């Protein structure tokens, strides 16, 4: 490995550590249909019921958790359209306190109309 390649790799590694996973994830990322930030989620006690409830929604393929940023990342399903309102209401049902929902359509800080 040349010195310049090593320096580029070192710089990228440093930036990755500095900014962390949560800052690299955005609603514009095609991997995710939505990113839901919540108040109350520190462990599996809160996240497992939320994952189960969100996974039932049409348009949801997979749900993953980032405890550090208290976020649920929702990957799209092959079929179906994800409803931002349904995601928000699912989070309310399991009492994890939705705070922010980022989708490709925009960012919601209160329950979306649709």
């Amino acid at each position: 490995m040349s010195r310049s390649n090593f320096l580029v790799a070192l710089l990228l590694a440093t930036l990755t550590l500095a900014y962390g996973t949560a800052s690299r994830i955005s609603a514009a990322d095609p991997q995710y249909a939505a990113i839901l930030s919540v108040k109350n989620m520190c462990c599996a006690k809160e996240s497992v019921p939320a994952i189960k409830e969100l996974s039932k929604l049409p348009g949801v393929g997979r749900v993953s958790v980032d405890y550090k940023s208290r976020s649920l990342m929702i990957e799209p399903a092959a079929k179906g359209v994800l409803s931002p309102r349904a995601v928000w209401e699912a989070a309310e049902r399991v009492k994890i306190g939705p705070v922010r929902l980022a989708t490709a359509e925009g960012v919601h800080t209160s329950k979306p109309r649709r």
Side-chain angles (χ1 to χ4, degrees), residues 1 5 9 13-14 19 21 23 30 56 58 62 78 85 94 105-106 108:
M1 178 184 278
N5 287 346
T14 303
Y19 290 105
T21 303
S23 65
K56 295 176 188 176
R62 182 173 174 243
R85 184 178 181 95
V94 293
E105 298 168 356
H108 307 276

Side-chain angles (χ1 to χ4, degrees), residues 4-112:
S4 61
N5 287 346
F6 175 77
L7 291 175
V8 169
L10 182 62
L11 176 62
L12 288 174
T14 303
L15 288 174
T16 301
L17 289 174
Y19 290 105
T21 303
S23 65
R24 289 182 285 135
I25 299 171
S26 71
D29 189 339
Q31 180 180 358
Y32 301 111
I35 299 172
L36 177 67
S37 299
V38 298
K39 289 181 194 175
N40 307 320
M41 191 178 60
C42 63
C43 61
K45 180 180 177 183
E46 292 93 6
S47 66
V48 170
I51 290 169
K52 287 180 180 179
E53 192 69 25
L54 288 168
S55 295
K56 295 176 188 176
L57 300 175
V60 174
R62 182 173 174 243
V63 180
S64 54
V65 179
D66 182 354
Y67 292 110
K68 185 176 181 181
S69 68
R70 294 186 183 186
S71 297
L72 294 151
M73 285 73 69
I74 303 166
E75 296 179 25
K79 294 182 181 179
V81 177
L82 183 67
S83 164
R85 184 178 181 95
V87 171
W88 195 277
E89 289 173 344
E92 289 177 334
R93 280 193 297 275
V94 293
K95 298 178 173 88
I96 55 173
V99 176
R100 181 178 183 271
L101 177 63
T103 65
E105 298 168 356
V107 176
H108 307 276
T109 54
S110 61
K111 186 187 292 188

